[in-house]
Amino acid sequence: MHTIEKETNEMIVQMVRGFAEVHIEPYRKEWDDQQIFPVSVFKELGKLGLLGVLVPETYGGSGFSYHEYVTAIAELAKFDPGIALSMAAHNSLCTGHILQFGSEEQKQNWLPKLASGEWIGAWGLTEPNTGSDAGNMKTIAKEDGDYWVLNGAKNFITHGKSGNLAVVIARTGEPGTSNNATAFVIEKGTNGFYSGRKEDKLGMRSSETTELIFDNCMVHKSNILGKVGEGFKQSLKVLDGGRISIAALGLGISMGALEHAIEYSKERHQFGKPISSFQGISFKLAEMATKVEAAKLLTYNAADLKNKGKNVTKESAMAKYYTSETAVWVANEAVQIFGGYGFTKDYPVEKYYRDSKLCTIGEGTSEIQKIVISRNLLK
């Protein structure tokens, strides 16, 4: 990383930390216990430029690169992984899809609202019966004059209720055929477009996850991103970048859990000395730190390739797979180091432990990442 980038990254770390200490840390437990998505606080992130990190300044964004993006997500995840997940989904999926595949007019229309935080974005691919098997989705769009009529449902949608706009992938061709899906931008308030049940989750509870329902929802053809039939291929490209953001999320959780574990091991005394002086604990910390460093290198390597406009399918899958599994492992070890206190809500490590699991599932499970990696190796 160049000196200028390092300085920018350090500036982002200080900015996120300053914001989170005041606006997130004091309320983290309440949001987690009551499963509150703090819309007003989230919109404040927009004023800091964190809801349009990769969006060029022409469209009201920050115009940063993937390095700064990874840094911002990771730092935010140390304070509340749920808020970091929401920030990542808003940037990478919804805003990212419009940025990559929208026409000039569509970008001018929607990106300034999303980048500023005036509007919150959602992205709909997953369905109740098609998670990893997204090619066989049941949400169908049929052409009707200047409109397309959507019917079906999406689930596990971040900001499905609070979002002002959603990019939705619906099937416009026969199941099992190529080019059979299309991406539509649908604004809140469109007839036949509703949010459904809110999920009650193990972790990431401050990030809202709901269903989206389409009941003869009429969307004008001017709201199609790219061409009819390109939706699924677009989604795969969007997910390439999205996987880097989930890697950054896992990285932040790992870093946070490690920092708390180191601090606690120095403060906690047993048998007359700090537990960090026992090899059983110090070796745990050494292994945790090594894995966190490896996760960091994989994540920033994928970010670097993405910045250079190179193909990142394999590298982003590797970063996402390794970093998310590392997050679960490091959080587990942190709970162990805290002992009985690690099992209580008085200390932050139990939350890292619950939140980390989503990283191995969202935006392609660890098993799907292995398929992506192996296919690229065996080409």
PDB file of all heavy atoms in Angstrom, residues 320-353:
ATOM      1  N   LYS A 320     -13.088 -14.538   1.198  1.00  0.00           N
ATOM      2  CA  LYS A 320     -14.373 -14.659   1.901  1.00  0.00           C
ATOM      3  C   LYS A 320     -14.411 -15.964   2.694  1.00  0.00           C
ATOM      4  O   LYS A 320     -14.811 -15.989   3.862  1.00  0.00           O
ATOM      5  CB  LYS A 320     -15.504 -14.611   0.875  1.00  0.00           C
ATOM      6  CG  LYS A 320     -16.889 -14.341   1.464  1.00  0.00           C
ATOM      7  CD  LYS A 320     -17.611 -15.596   1.832  1.00  0.00           C
ATOM      8  CE  LYS A 320     -19.038 -15.331   2.229  1.00  0.00           C
ATOM      9  NZ  LYS A 320     -19.669 -16.454   2.923  1.00  0.00           N
ATOM     10  N   TYR A 321     -13.982 -17.063   2.071  1.00  0.00           N
ATOM     11  CA  TYR A 321     -14.006 -18.378   2.720  1.00  0.00           C
ATOM     12  C   TYR A 321     -13.078 -18.407   3.937  1.00  0.00           C
ATOM     13  O   TYR A 321     -13.500 -18.719   5.053  1.00  0.00           O
ATOM     14  CB  TYR A 321     -13.611 -19.459   1.707  1.00  0.00           C
ATOM     15  CG  TYR A 321     -13.238 -20.780   2.323  1.00  0.00           C
ATOM     16  CD1 TYR A 321     -14.141 -21.469   3.137  1.00  0.00           C
ATOM     17  CD2 TYR A 321     -11.985 -21.349   2.095  1.00  0.00           C
ATOM     18  CE1 TYR A 321     -13.791 -22.677   3.716  1.00  0.00           C
ATOM     19  CE2 TYR A 321     -11.631 -22.558   2.673  1.00  0.00           C
ATOM     20  CZ  TYR A 321     -12.539 -23.215   3.484  1.00  0.00           C
ATOM     21  OH  TYR A 321     -12.186 -24.411   4.063  1.00  0.00           O
ATOM     22  N   TYR A 322     -11.831 -18.020   3.746  1.00  0.00           N
ATOM     23  CA  TYR A 322     -10.848 -18.117   4.830  1.00  0.00           C
ATOM     24  C   TYR A 322     -11.166 -17.148   5.968  1.00  0.00           C
ATOM     25  O   TYR A 322     -11.128 -17.504   7.144  1.00  0.00           O
ATOM     26  CB  TYR A 322      -9.431 -17.854   4.301  1.00  0.00           C
ATOM     27  CG  TYR A 322      -8.379 -18.037   5.370  1.00  0.00           C
ATOM     28  CD1 TYR A 322      -7.913 -19.306   5.697  1.00  0.00           C
ATOM     29  CD2 TYR A 322      -7.891 -16.950   6.095  1.00  0.00           C
ATOM     30  CE1 TYR A 322      -6.983 -19.489   6.705  1.00  0.00           C
ATOM     31  CE2 TYR A 322      -6.958 -17.122   7.106  1.00  0.00           C
ATOM     32  CZ  TYR A 322      -6.503 -18.390   7.413  1.00  0.00           C
ATOM     33  OH  TYR A 322      -5.592 -18.565   8.419  1.00  0.00           O
ATOM     34  N   THR A 323     -11.506 -15.923   5.599  1.00  0.00           N
ATOM     35  CA  THR A 323     -11.730 -14.895   6.618  1.00  0.00           C
ATOM     36  C   THR A 323     -12.982 -15.172   7.440  1.00  0.00           C
ATOM     37  O   THR A 323     -12.992 -14.957   8.655  1.00  0.00           O
ATOM     38  CB  THR A 323     -11.817 -13.504   5.949  1.00  0.00           C
ATOM     39  OG1 THR A 323     -10.657 -13.329   5.156  1.00  0.00           O
ATOM     40  CG2 THR A 323     -11.871 -12.397   6.964  1.00  0.00           C
ATOM     41  N   SER A 324     -14.041 -15.662   6.795  1.00  0.00           N
ATOM     42  CA  SER A 324     -15.267 -15.943   7.549  1.00  0.00           C
ATOM     43  C   SER A 324     -15.081 -17.133   8.494  1.00  0.00           C
ATOM     44  O   SER A 324     -15.524 -17.094   9.646  1.00  0.00           O
ATOM     45  CB  SER A 324     -16.459 -16.162   6.612  1.00  0.00           C
ATOM     46  OG  SER A 324     -16.209 -17.212   5.714  1.00  0.00           O
ATOM     47  N   GLU A 325     -14.389 -18.169   8.030  1.00  0.00           N
ATOM     48  CA  GLU A 325     -14.124 -19.315   8.912  1.00  0.00           C
ATOM     49  C   GLU A 325     -13.180 -18.901  10.047  1.00  0.00           C
ATOM     50  O   GLU A 325     -13.321 -19.357  11.190  1.00  0.00           O
ATOM     51  CB  GLU A 325     -13.517 -20.477   8.114  1.00  0.00           C
ATOM     52  CG  GLU A 325     -14.471 -21.104   7.089  1.00  0.00           C
ATOM     53  CD  GLU A 325     -15.644 -21.859   7.704  1.00  0.00           C
ATOM     54  OE1 GLU A 325     -15.583 -22.227   8.897  1.00  0.00           O
ATOM     55  OE2 GLU A 325     -16.638 -22.095   6.985  1.00  0.00           O
ATOM     56  N   THR A 326     -12.230 -18.020   9.731  1.00  0.00           N
ATOM     57  CA  THR A 326     -11.304 -17.509  10.753  1.00  0.00           C
ATOM     58  C   THR A 326     -12.052 -16.703  11.808  1.00  0.00           C
ATOM     59  O   THR A 326     -11.767 -16.804  13.004  1.00  0.00           O
ATOM     60  CB  THR A 326     -10.202 -16.643  10.093  1.00  0.00           C
ATOM     61  OG1 THR A 326      -9.432 -17.491   9.234  1.00  0.00           O
ATOM     62  CG2 THR A 326      -9.278 -16.009  11.118  1.00  0.00           C
ATOM     63  N   ALA A 327     -13.029 -15.901  11.364  1.00  0.00           N
ATOM     64  CA  ALA A 327     -13.810 -15.083  12.307  1.00  0.00           C
ATOM     65  C   ALA A 327     -14.498 -15.963  13.344  1.00  0.00           C
ATOM     66  O   ALA A 327     -14.483 -15.667  14.548  1.00  0.00           O
ATOM     67  CB  ALA A 327     -14.839 -14.251  11.552  1.00  0.00           C
ATOM     68  N   VAL A 328     -15.110 -17.065  12.878  1.00  0.00           N
ATOM     69  CA  VAL A 328     -15.794 -17.987  13.788  1.00  0.00           C
ATOM     70  C   VAL A 328     -14.782 -18.609  14.764  1.00  0.00           C
ATOM     71  O   VAL A 328     -15.016 -18.680  15.970  1.00  0.00           O
ATOM     72  CB  VAL A 328     -16.534 -19.098  12.998  1.00  0.00           C
ATOM     73  CG1 VAL A 328     -17.134 -20.136  13.936  1.00  0.00           C
ATOM     74  CG2 VAL A 328     -17.634 -18.490  12.122  1.00  0.00           C
ATOM     75  N   TRP A 329     -13.648 -19.027  14.229  1.00  0.00           N
ATOM     76  CA  TRP A 329     -12.617 -19.700  15.041  1.00  0.00           C
ATOM     77  C   TRP A 329     -12.013 -18.740  16.074  1.00  0.00           C
ATOM     78  O   TRP A 329     -11.878 -19.080  17.252  1.00  0.00           O
ATOM     79  CB  TRP A 329     -11.533 -20.278  14.128  1.00  0.00           C
ATOM     80  CG  TRP A 329     -10.513 -21.081  14.878  1.00  0.00           C
ATOM     81  CD1 TRP A 329     -10.602 -22.396  15.225  1.00  0.00           C
ATOM     82  CD2 TRP A 329      -9.264 -20.604  15.398  1.00  0.00           C
ATOM     83  NE1 TRP A 329      -9.483 -22.767  15.936  1.00  0.00           N
ATOM     84  CE2 TRP A 329      -8.645 -21.690  16.051  1.00  0.00           C
ATOM     85  CE3 TRP A 329      -8.610 -19.365  15.368  1.00  0.00           C
ATOM     86  CZ2 TRP A 329      -7.406 -21.583  16.673  1.00  0.00           C
ATOM     87  CZ3 TRP A 329      -7.373 -19.255  15.990  1.00  0.00           C
ATOM     88  CH2 TRP A 329      -6.782 -20.353  16.635  1.00  0.00           C
ATOM     89  N   VAL A 330     -11.667 -17.527  15.634  1.00  0.00           N
ATOM     90  CA  VAL A 330     -11.049 -16.550  16.531  1.00  0.00           C
ATOM     91  C   VAL A 330     -12.048 -16.121  17.625  1.00  0.00           C
ATOM     92  O   VAL A 330     -11.683 -16.016  18.798  1.00  0.00           O
ATOM     93  CB  VAL A 330     -10.525 -15.319  15.743  1.00  0.00           C
ATOM     94  CG1 VAL A 330     -10.125 -14.184  16.684  1.00  0.00           C
ATOM     95  CG2 VAL A 330      -9.323 -15.718  14.886  1.00  0.00           C
ATOM     96  N   ALA A 331     -13.298 -15.895  17.235  1.00  0.00           N
ATOM     97  CA  ALA A 331     -14.314 -15.503  18.218  1.00  0.00           C
ATOM     98  C   ALA A 331     -14.522 -16.617  19.245  1.00  0.00           C
ATOM     99  O   ALA A 331     -14.677 -16.359  20.452  1.00  0.00           O
ATOM    100  CB  ALA A 331     -15.631 -15.175  17.515  1.00  0.00           C
ATOM    101  N   ASN A 332     -14.490 -17.860  18.786  1.00  0.00           N
ATOM    102  CA  ASN A 332     -14.620 -19.023  19.669  1.00  0.00           C
ATOM    103  C   ASN A 332     -13.464 -19.064  20.679  1.00  0.00           C
ATOM    104  O   ASN A 332     -13.671 -19.256  21.883  1.00  0.00           O
ATOM    105  CB  ASN A 332     -14.643 -20.296  18.812  1.00  0.00           C
ATOM    106  CG  ASN A 332     -14.749 -21.557  19.648  1.00  0.00           C
ATOM    107  OD1 ASN A 332     -15.596 -21.649  20.528  1.00  0.00           O
ATOM    108  ND2 ASN A 332     -13.881 -22.521  19.391  1.00  0.00           N
ATOM    109  N   GLU A 333     -12.244 -18.844  20.197  1.00  0.00           N
ATOM    110  CA  GLU A 333     -11.075 -18.842  21.077  1.00  0.00           C
ATOM    111  C   GLU A 333     -11.134 -17.679  22.070  1.00  0.00           C
ATOM    112  O   GLU A 333     -10.734 -17.822  23.220  1.00  0.00           O
ATOM    113  CB  GLU A 333      -9.783 -18.746  20.246  1.00  0.00           C
ATOM    114  CG  GLU A 333      -9.465 -19.995  19.423  1.00  0.00           C
ATOM    115  CD  GLU A 333      -9.140 -21.203  20.283  1.00  0.00           C
ATOM    116  OE1 GLU A 333      -7.972 -21.376  20.658  1.00  0.00           O
ATOM    117  OE2 GLU A 333     -10.071 -21.974  20.590  1.00  0.00           O
ATOM    118  N   ALA A 334     -11.646 -16.535  21.606  1.00  0.00           N
ATOM    119  CA  ALA A 334     -11.767 -15.364  22.492  1.00  0.00           C
ATOM    120  C   ALA A 334     -12.724 -15.667  23.645  1.00  0.00           C
ATOM    121  O   ALA A 334     -12.438 -15.342  24.806  1.00  0.00           O
ATOM    122  CB  ALA A 334     -12.237 -14.147  21.701  1.00  0.00           C
ATOM    123  N   VAL A 335     -13.852 -16.309  23.331  1.00  0.00           N
ATOM    124  CA  VAL A 335     -14.807 -16.699  24.373  1.00  0.00           C
ATOM    125  C   VAL A 335     -14.110 -17.627  25.375  1.00  0.00           C
ATOM    126  O   VAL A 335     -14.269 -17.486  26.591  1.00  0.00           O
ATOM    127  CB  VAL A 335     -16.057 -17.391  23.754  1.00  0.00           C
ATOM    128  CG1 VAL A 335     -16.922 -18.029  24.832  1.00  0.00           C
ATOM    129  CG2 VAL A 335     -16.885 -16.388  22.953  1.00  0.00           C
ATOM    130  N   GLN A 336     -13.308 -18.555  24.860  1.00  0.00           N
ATOM    131  CA  GLN A 336     -12.590 -19.509  25.719  1.00  0.00           C
ATOM    132  C   GLN A 336     -11.616 -18.785  26.661  1.00  0.00           C
ATOM    133  O   GLN A 336     -11.520 -19.112  27.841  1.00  0.00           O
ATOM    134  CB  GLN A 336     -11.834 -20.515  24.835  1.00  0.00           C
ATOM    135  CG  GLN A 336     -11.327 -21.754  25.566  1.00  0.00           C
ATOM    136  CD  GLN A 336     -12.452 -22.662  26.036  1.00  0.00           C
ATOM    137  OE1 GLN A 336     -13.582 -22.579  25.567  1.00  0.00           O
ATOM    138  NE2 GLN A 336     -12.157 -23.515  26.995  1.00  0.00           N
ATOM    139  N   ILE A 337     -10.912 -17.794  26.131  1.00  0.00           N
ATOM    140  CA  ILE A 337      -9.952 -17.033  26.944  1.00  0.00           C
ATOM    141  C   ILE A 337     -10.665 -16.253  28.046  1.00  0.00           C
ATOM    142  O   ILE A 337     -10.178 -16.153  29.169  1.00  0.00           O
ATOM    143  CB  ILE A 337      -9.101 -16.100  26.041  1.00  0.00           C
ATOM    144  CG1 ILE A 337      -8.115 -16.943  25.218  1.00  0.00           C
ATOM    145  CG2 ILE A 337      -8.352 -15.044  26.865  1.00  0.00           C
ATOM    146  CD1 ILE A 337      -7.415 -16.200  24.089  1.00  0.00           C
ATOM    147  N   PHE A 338     -11.848 -15.739  27.750  1.00  0.00           N
ATOM    148  CA  PHE A 338     -12.640 -15.008  28.747  1.00  0.00           C
ATOM    149  C   PHE A 338     -13.269 -15.960  29.770  1.00  0.00           C
ATOM    150  O   PHE A 338     -13.768 -15.506  30.804  1.00  0.00           O
ATOM    151  CB  PHE A 338     -13.753 -14.202  28.057  1.00  0.00           C
ATOM    152  CG  PHE A 338     -13.346 -12.823  27.628  1.00  0.00           C
ATOM    153  CD1 PHE A 338     -12.540 -12.616  26.518  1.00  0.00           C
ATOM    154  CD2 PHE A 338     -13.789 -11.711  28.337  1.00  0.00           C
ATOM    155  CE1 PHE A 338     -12.177 -11.336  26.111  1.00  0.00           C
ATOM    156  CE2 PHE A 338     -13.441 -10.416  27.934  1.00  0.00           C
ATOM    157  CZ  PHE A 338     -12.620 -10.240  26.823  1.00  0.00           C
ATOM    158  N   GLY A 339     -13.298 -17.262  29.452  1.00  0.00           N
ATOM    159  CA  GLY A 339     -13.880 -18.238  30.377  1.00  0.00           C
ATOM    160  C   GLY A 339     -15.361 -17.968  30.601  1.00  0.00           C
ATOM    161  O   GLY A 339     -16.089 -17.614  29.677  1.00  0.00           O
ATOM    162  N   GLY A 340     -15.794 -18.078  31.855  1.00  0.00           N
ATOM    163  CA  GLY A 340     -17.217 -17.881  32.173  1.00  0.00           C
ATOM    164  C   GLY A 340     -17.730 -16.517  31.748  1.00  0.00           C
ATOM    165  O   GLY A 340     -18.871 -16.379  31.306  1.00  0.00           O
ATOM    166  N   TYR A 341     -16.884 -15.492  31.852  1.00  0.00           N
ATOM    167  CA  TYR A 341     -17.306 -14.139  31.456  1.00  0.00           C
ATOM    168  C   TYR A 341     -17.557 -14.048  29.946  1.00  0.00           C
ATOM    169  O   TYR A 341     -18.369 -13.244  29.498  1.00  0.00           O
ATOM    170  CB  TYR A 341     -16.267 -13.101  31.890  1.00  0.00           C
ATOM    171  CG  TYR A 341     -16.184 -12.957  33.392  1.00  0.00           C
ATOM    172  CD1 TYR A 341     -15.046 -13.358  34.088  1.00  0.00           C
ATOM    173  CD2 TYR A 341     -17.259 -12.447  34.114  1.00  0.00           C
ATOM    174  CE1 TYR A 341     -14.984 -13.259  35.478  1.00  0.00           C
ATOM    175  CE2 TYR A 341     -17.207 -12.327  35.500  1.00  0.00           C
ATOM    176  CZ  TYR A 341     -16.064 -12.743  36.174  1.00  0.00           C
ATOM    177  OH  TYR A 341     -16.011 -12.649  37.543  1.00  0.00           O
ATOM    178  N   GLY A 342     -16.860 -14.878  29.192  1.00  0.00           N
ATOM    179  CA  GLY A 342     -17.050 -14.891  27.740  1.00  0.00           C
ATOM    180  C   GLY A 342     -18.423 -15.377  27.339  1.00  0.00           C
ATOM    181  O   GLY A 342     -18.884 -15.135  26.228  1.00  0.00           O
ATOM    182  N   PHE A 343     -19.077 -16.083  28.275  1.00  0.00           N
ATOM    183  CA  PHE A 343     -20.397 -16.653  28.006  1.00  0.00           C
ATOM    184  C   PHE A 343     -21.513 -15.699  28.425  1.00  0.00           C
ATOM    185  O   PHE A 343     -22.683 -16.005  28.282  1.00  0.00           O
ATOM    186  CB  PHE A 343     -20.522 -17.986  28.756  1.00  0.00           C
ATOM    187  CG  PHE A 343     -21.484 -18.946  28.118  1.00  0.00           C
ATOM    188  CD1 PHE A 343     -21.238 -19.480  26.866  1.00  0.00           C
ATOM    189  CD2 PHE A 343     -22.646 -19.317  28.782  1.00  0.00           C
ATOM    190  CE1 PHE A 343     -22.138 -20.360  26.276  1.00  0.00           C
ATOM    191  CE2 PHE A 343     -23.558 -20.195  28.199  1.00  0.00           C
ATOM    192  CZ  PHE A 343     -23.291 -20.726  26.940  1.00  0.00           C
ATOM    193  N   THR A 344     -21.115 -14.520  28.951  1.00  0.00           N
ATOM    194  CA  THR A 344     -22.120 -13.543  29.386  1.00  0.00           C
ATOM    195  C   THR A 344     -22.179 -12.366  28.416  1.00  0.00           C
ATOM    196  O   THR A 344     -21.239 -12.119  27.667  1.00  0.00           O
ATOM    197  CB  THR A 344     -21.772 -12.981  30.785  1.00  0.00           C
ATOM    198  OG1 THR A 344     -20.613 -12.127  30.668  1.00  0.00           O
ATOM    199  CG2 THR A 344     -21.490 -14.088  31.787  1.00  0.00           C
ATOM    200  N   LYS A 345     -23.285 -11.622  28.496  1.00  0.00           N
ATOM    201  CA  LYS A 345     -23.471 -10.458  27.617  1.00  0.00           C
ATOM    202  C   LYS A 345     -22.796  -9.204  28.166  1.00  0.00           C
ATOM    203  O   LYS A 345     -22.902  -8.138  27.583  1.00  0.00           O
ATOM    204  CB  LYS A 345     -24.962 -10.211  27.377  1.00  0.00           C
ATOM    205  CG  LYS A 345     -25.602 -11.265  26.483  1.00  0.00           C
ATOM    206  CD  LYS A 345     -27.044 -10.934  26.176  1.00  0.00           C
ATOM    207  CE  LYS A 345     -27.705 -12.007  25.334  1.00  0.00           C
ATOM    208  NZ  LYS A 345     -27.303 -11.959  23.925  1.00  0.00           N
ATOM    209  N   ASP A 346     -22.105  -9.335  29.304  1.00  0.00           N
ATOM    210  CA  ASP A 346     -21.403  -8.185  29.871  1.00  0.00           C
ATOM    211  C   ASP A 346     -20.133  -7.855  29.094  1.00  0.00           C
ATOM    212  O   ASP A 346     -19.597  -6.752  29.199  1.00  0.00           O
ATOM    213  CB  ASP A 346     -21.023  -8.463  31.338  1.00  0.00           C
ATOM    214  CG  ASP A 346     -22.252  -8.676  32.210  1.00  0.00           C
ATOM    215  OD1 ASP A 346     -23.305  -8.105  31.859  1.00  0.00           O
ATOM    216  OD2 ASP A 346     -22.156  -9.407  33.212  1.00  0.00           O
ATOM    217  N   TYR A 347     -19.640  -8.816  28.341  1.00  0.00           N
ATOM    218  CA  TYR A 347     -18.413  -8.623  27.558  1.00  0.00           C
ATOM    219  C   TYR A 347     -18.735  -8.827  26.073  1.00  0.00           C
ATOM    220  O   TYR A 347     -19.617  -9.612  25.728  1.00  0.00           O
ATOM    221  CB  TYR A 347     -17.339  -9.619  28.016  1.00  0.00           C
ATOM    222  CG  TYR A 347     -16.816  -9.328  29.407  1.00  0.00           C
ATOM    223  CD1 TYR A 347     -17.474  -9.838  30.537  1.00  0.00           C
ATOM    224  CD2 TYR A 347     -15.688  -8.544  29.599  1.00  0.00           C
ATOM    225  CE1 TYR A 347     -17.012  -9.566  31.816  1.00  0.00           C
ATOM    226  CE2 TYR A 347     -15.211  -8.266  30.876  1.00  0.00           C
ATOM    227  CZ  TYR A 347     -15.880  -8.780  31.977  1.00  0.00           C
ATOM    228  OH  TYR A 347     -15.419  -8.509  33.242  1.00  0.00           O
ATOM    229  N   PRO A 348     -18.016  -8.130  25.195  1.00  0.00           N
ATOM    230  CA  PRO A 348     -18.402  -8.154  23.773  1.00  0.00           C
ATOM    231  C   PRO A 348     -18.091  -9.444  23.006  1.00  0.00           C
ATOM    232  O   PRO A 348     -18.585  -9.635  21.912  1.00  0.00           O
ATOM    233  CB  PRO A 348     -17.603  -6.990  23.175  1.00  0.00           C
ATOM    234  CG  PRO A 348     -16.459  -6.783  24.088  1.00  0.00           C
ATOM    235  CD  PRO A 348     -16.884  -7.221  25.447  1.00  0.00           C
ATOM    236  N   VAL A 349     -17.285 -10.358  23.591  1.00  0.00           N
ATOM    237  CA  VAL A 349     -16.864 -11.503  22.768  1.00  0.00           C
ATOM    238  C   VAL A 349     -17.996 -12.474  22.433  1.00  0.00           C
ATOM    239  O   VAL A 349     -17.981 -13.103  21.383  1.00  0.00           O
ATOM    240  CB  VAL A 349     -15.643 -12.246  23.369  1.00  0.00           C
ATOM    241  CG1 VAL A 349     -14.384 -11.403  23.242  1.00  0.00           C
ATOM    242  CG2 VAL A 349     -15.873 -12.680  24.806  1.00  0.00           C
ATOM    243  N   GLU A 350     -19.005 -12.582  23.301  1.00  0.00           N
ATOM    244  CA  GLU A 350     -20.104 -13.504  22.954  1.00  0.00           C
ATOM    245  C   GLU A 350     -20.875 -12.980  21.736  1.00  0.00           C
ATOM    246  O   GLU A 350     -21.387 -13.770  20.942  1.00  0.00           O
ATOM    247  CB  GLU A 350     -21.028 -13.753  24.153  1.00  0.00           C
ATOM    248  CG  GLU A 350     -21.893 -12.580  24.611  1.00  0.00           C
ATOM    249  CD  GLU A 350     -23.186 -12.412  23.839  1.00  0.00           C
ATOM    250  OE1 GLU A 350     -23.777 -13.414  23.410  1.00  0.00           O
ATOM    251  OE2 GLU A 350     -23.590 -11.243  23.647  1.00  0.00           O
ATOM    252  N   LYS A 351     -20.894 -11.658  21.581  1.00  0.00           N
ATOM    253  CA  LYS A 351     -21.577 -11.077  20.415  1.00  0.00           C
ATOM    254  C   LYS A 351     -20.774 -11.319  19.134  1.00  0.00           C
ATOM    255  O   LYS A 351     -21.332 -11.658  18.093  1.00  0.00           O
ATOM    256  CB  LYS A 351     -21.830  -9.578  20.640  1.00  0.00           C
ATOM    257  CG  LYS A 351     -22.674  -8.945  19.527  1.00  0.00           C
ATOM    258  CD  LYS A 351     -23.012  -7.512  19.851  1.00  0.00           C
ATOM    259  CE  LYS A 351     -23.881  -6.866  18.795  1.00  0.00           C
ATOM    260  NZ  LYS A 351     -23.400  -7.008  17.429  1.00  0.00           N
ATOM    261  N   TYR A 352     -19.458 -11.164  19.223  1.00  0.00           N
ATOM    262  CA  TYR A 352     -18.620 -11.503  18.061  1.00  0.00           C
ATOM    263  C   TYR A 352     -18.859 -12.963  17.653  1.00  0.00           C
ATOM    264  O   TYR A 352     -18.908 -13.295  16.478  1.00  0.00           O
ATOM    265  CB  TYR A 352     -17.127 -11.332  18.386  1.00  0.00           C
ATOM    266  CG  TYR A 352     -16.634  -9.909  18.524  1.00  0.00           C
ATOM    267  CD1 TYR A 352     -15.865  -9.538  19.633  1.00  0.00           C
ATOM    268  CD2 TYR A 352     -16.883  -8.943  17.551  1.00  0.00           C
ATOM    269  CE1 TYR A 352     -15.370  -8.243  19.779  1.00  0.00           C
ATOM    270  CE2 TYR A 352     -16.399  -7.647  17.688  1.00  0.00           C
ATOM    271  CZ  TYR A 352     -15.649  -7.298  18.803  1.00  0.00           C
ATOM    272  OH  TYR A 352     -15.170  -6.025  18.932  1.00  0.00           O
ATOM    273  N   TYR A 353     -18.969 -13.807  18.680  1.00  0.00           N
ATOM    274  CA  TYR A 353     -19.151 -15.249  18.448  1.00  0.00           C
ATOM    275  C   TYR A 353     -20.446 -15.509  17.677  1.00  0.00           C
ATOM    276  O   TYR A 353     -20.459 -16.237  16.680  1.00  0.00           O
ATOM    277  CB  TYR A 353     -19.157 -15.954  19.810  1.00  0.00           C
ATOM    278  CG  TYR A 353     -19.210 -17.460  19.778  1.00  0.00           C
ATOM    279  CD1 TYR A 353     -18.315 -18.204  19.011  1.00  0.00           C
ATOM    280  CD2 TYR A 353     -20.145 -18.162  20.551  1.00  0.00           C
ATOM    281  CE1 TYR A 353     -18.356 -19.588  19.005  1.00  0.00           C
ATOM    282  CE2 TYR A 353     -20.184 -19.549  20.550  1.00  0.00           C
ATOM    283  CZ  TYR A 353     -19.292 -20.256  19.782  1.00  0.00           C
ATOM    284  OH  TYR A 353     -19.330 -21.628  19.781  1.00  0.00           O
TER     285      TYR A 353
END
